Amino acid sequence: PREPRVREWAIQFTGNEPFPREAVVEWFRAVRARLSLPEGWRTFYLPTFEQSDVAFQNEAWFAEQGIVVTTAARWVTENACYSSGWALGRLKYVASADIDAAYGDGRLTYEDVLVTDQIPAEIPVVAGVLALEPATPNAHVAILARSFRIPFAYPSGLAVQEQIRAMDGREVLLVVSPEDGECAINLQDVDGKLTPEERQEILDRKLPPQVSVQTMVRSGVYHLETEQLSPADIDRAGGKAANFGFLRRAIPDNSPDPAIALTFDLWMDFMEQPLGDGTLIQSIVDDLRGQSFPPDVASLRPILAQIRDRIRKGADFTPSGKEAILQALAGFEDPRRLRFRSSTNVEDSEVFSGAGLYDSFSGCLADDTDNDSEGPSGCDVDRDEERGVFRAIRKVYASFYNENAYIERLRHGVDESEVGMAILVHYSFPDEFEEANGVATLDIRKPADAARMVEAQLVS
């Protein structure tokens, strides 16, 4: 709670699928036992969106186990701003469970202001978001909203929420802004009050800034050591790997070591492999030909799903390519899991962070060098199937065509022929080994008549 005299805290367990109630009780007790709290503190179970149905259906059963189920509304008694900004669009109420389907069939579009009951782990890009249940500042959706400059807030109070729900289907102007330490939410009904010219003038002010892309180039090698990389190498190793060089040089004893970058050479060779009557990249270009912003999501979604499936399962590295990858990873120890992190040349810039658009995956080198395809994994005996590094790399490559990622590139007018996926590789650090975890975001402004302004926000 914001009020320090209220000695209460809560535990969450994050996952895309509902957890069994018995497992939650076991984990809850284990976490609670790890904390040394002064007398008088009360502990609650605060389920995430994915866990809330099971939690509240079994609320009485949890109480019998000595666990009280609650929501963040217990402590949030006023408006909460998760991302500042403004939006003009049609207000649409969509239940959290229906958001993905509504976006796919056109009931919800990028031009709409979404009002929903709870915030799931991920939502598509929309004009603005109002949640009728509080979220958390480090929620994935909050991070994405700040990255895309989408206003996102929780309006407190049943009366206010009922007024908002009453605007369903109306065109509204939403402004979310922190004022004197408080969150101000201004929602105006402008339905029928704007001329087409006025509406377009307002929307033109929301046009995204021009993205300057360093066109990917070949390095002549499949991997580079990160210590030598800087932002000048984004065209060879992507933004994440290129910037990672600063960490290795600045805090060599407190950053992953070893760490390498798999260059765009590997991506280009993978994409230029023969497939059908042409190449893999040509099949992708053909599938996406004619797409423009705003896209028809209903028709685009299955196309992107087929492309991702083709990269993960229909394509593979050549024997010489696999040998080169294994040589690049020779400095890593078996049987430790490796983390393969997306590193494109269309992210981590001053005007386009790309946060949350692409995916990272772990892979086990031992699973690709044991001369069989039978499980369990050589890095995790609890995994029944092998989880090799080639599989992990293909999955990272496939994420280049995630729905939000591709739509954002369309929105910014990015030339697809200039961009691709490189990869940053270091050891995987699961939660039991991590000593800290957080997200840092930068907001950089360059007013015409003032000095360059940089604002950093850290959530840990």
Side-chain angles (χ1 to χ4, degrees):
R2 291 182 61 182
E3 171 52 62
R5 289 173 295 180
V6 179
R7 296 189 164 196
E8 297 179 348
W9 73 294
I11 303 172
Q12 284 191 329
F13 301 101
T14 304
N16 292 330
E17 301 296 332
F19 296 130
R21 63 182 191 177
E22 292 79 10
V24 170
V25 170
E26 178 185 351
W27 300 336
F28 184 93
R29 290 170 176 167
V31 174
R32 186 170 57 187
R34 290 284 291 175
L35 278 98
S36 177
L37 293 171
E39 288 293 325
W41 279 79
R42 297 185 66 196
T43 306
F44 296 84
Y45 171 42
L46 199 162
T48 61
F49 164 74
E50 290 78 9
Q51 310 303 323
S52 59
D53 284 349
V54 170
F56 286 103
Q57 287 168 8
N58 292 276
E59 188 172 3
W61 183 85
F62 278 112
E64 292 173 0
Q65 315 305 313
I67 297 174
V68 179
V69 182
T70 191
T71 72
R74 177 181 184 86
W75 302 296
V76 181
T77 57
E78 52 198 27
N79 295 342
C81 290
Y82 306 112
S83 176
S84 302
W86 64 272
L88 174 66
R90 198 155 297 280
L91 188 143
K92 299 277 185 71
Y93 175 82
V94 181
S96 52
D98 299 329
I99 291 174
D100 189 62
Y103 200 75
D105 62 25
R107 284 176 290 150
L108 178 69
T109 75
Y110 82 99
E111 298 173 308
D112 297 327
V113 173
L114 169 66
V115 178
T116 189
D117 49 353
Q118 301 179 68
I119 295 297
E122 187 168 352
I123 64 172
V125 176
V126 291
V129 182
L130 292 174
L132 304 184
E133 286 283 348
T136 55
N138 58 344
H140 188 63
V141 172
I143 295 169
L144 289 181
R146 290 193 292 270
S147 174
F148 299 152
R149 302 183 185 277
I150 296 171
F152 173 27
Y154 160 70
S156 178
L158 291 178
V160 172
Q161 293 183 2
E162 288 174 1
Q163 292 174 0
I164 293 172
R165 288 288 303 270
M167 295 185 188
D168 192 17
R170 309 282 293 178
E171 188 172 44
V172 298
L173 180 64
L174 169 66
V175 181
V176 173
S177 59
E179 295 181 2
D180 299 325
E182 304 296 332
C183 174
I185 303 173
N186 191 319
L187 187 67
Q188 297 183 42
D189 185 338
V190 297
D191 203 58
K193 299 177 182 177
L194 299 173
T195 66
E197 293 76 19
E198 289 171 335
R199 180 183 295 104
Q200 192 58 51
E201 182 180 354
I202 294 173
L203 292 176
D204 284 346
R205 295 177 179 270
K206 290 287 287 187
L207 291 175
Q210 184 68 36
V211 175
S212 178
V213 173
Q214 293 188 40
T215 304
M216 60 179 178
V217 299
R218 288 185 176 271
S219 304
V221 293
Y222 276 169
H223 82 281
L224 296 167
E225 300 297 327
T226 54
E227 283 85 352
Q228 62 183 288
L229 299 179
S230 73
D233 299 301
I234 288 177
D235 57 353
R236 299 195 297 155
K240 195 171 294 176
N243 287 304
F244 195 78
F246 281 117
L247 284 182
R248 292 297 305 127
R249 292 188 293 275
I251 48 173
D253 296 330
N254 292 282
S255 56
D257 180 33
I260 67 169
L262 297 178
T263 64
F264 287 119
D265 298 56
L266 184 63
W267 162 267
M268 289 188 226
D269 286 349
F270 181 83
M271 284 292 165
E272 290 167 4
Q273 67 180 278
L275 191 72
D277 295 330
T279 62
L280 173 59
I281 188 61
Q282 190 56 56
S283 72
I284 294 173
V285 170
D286 290 342
D287 285 349
L288 295 174
R289 182 170 284 114
Q291 294 291 340
S292 60
F293 191 84
D296 178 357
V297 177
S299 62
L300 176 62
R301 178 170 287 181
I303 293 174
L304 292 175
Q306 290 171 5
I307 291 173
R308 292 193 299 270
D309 196 59
R310 194 179 310 155
I311 293 172
R312 288 193 302 260
K313 302 175 183 178
D316 202 358
F317 298 99
T318 63
S320 61
K322 289 183 177 181
E323 182 61 32
I325 292 171
L326 294 179
Q327 289 178 6
L329 301 176
F332 294 94
E333 300 173 0
D334 268 349
R336 293 184 62 180
R337 279 185 297 175
L338 304 182
R339 192 67 173 168
F340 295 84
R341 303 178 62 189
S342 58
S343 181
T344 75
N345 57 331
V346 61
E347 63 179 324
D348 294 337
S349 69
E350 288 196 359
V351 297
F352 186 80
S353 75
L357 293 181
Y358 311 104
D359 298 326
S360 300
F361 295 92
S362 295
C364 178
L365 193 56
D367 290 347
D368 288 314
T369 57
D370 60 2
N371 298 319
D372 67 55
S373 58
E374 303 296 324
S377 171
C379 298
D380 187 349
V381 295
D382 293 330
R383 299 282 187 177
D384 294 333
E385 298 179 354
E386 292 197 334
R387 302 166 65 84
V389 298
F390 305 132
R391 165 188 172 276
I393 295 172
R394 290 196 303 269
K395 292 180 73 173
V396 176
Y397 281 177
S399 76
F400 190 71
Y401 294 98
N402 283 348
E403 186 174 299
N404 279 350
Y406 180 70
I407 291 177
E408 276 300 289
R409 297 199 299 270
L410 275 183
R411 187 165 77 96
H412 285 82
V414 173
D415 185 341
E416 289 287 304
S417 68
E418 297 180 352
V419 295
M421 180 72 76
I423 294 178
L424 170 64
V425 188
H426 54 64
Y427 288 124
S428 175
F429 295 94
D431 290 344
E432 60 265 30
F433 300 117
E434 283 188 340
E435 293 187 359
N437 196 328
V439 174
T441 56
L442 292 179
D443 187 14
I444 302 173
R445 301 185 185 92
K446 294 181 178 179
D449 56 348
R452 182 173 181 267
M453 301 287 291
V454 180
E455 179 181 300
Q457 181 179 45
L458 295 113
V459 179
S460 65

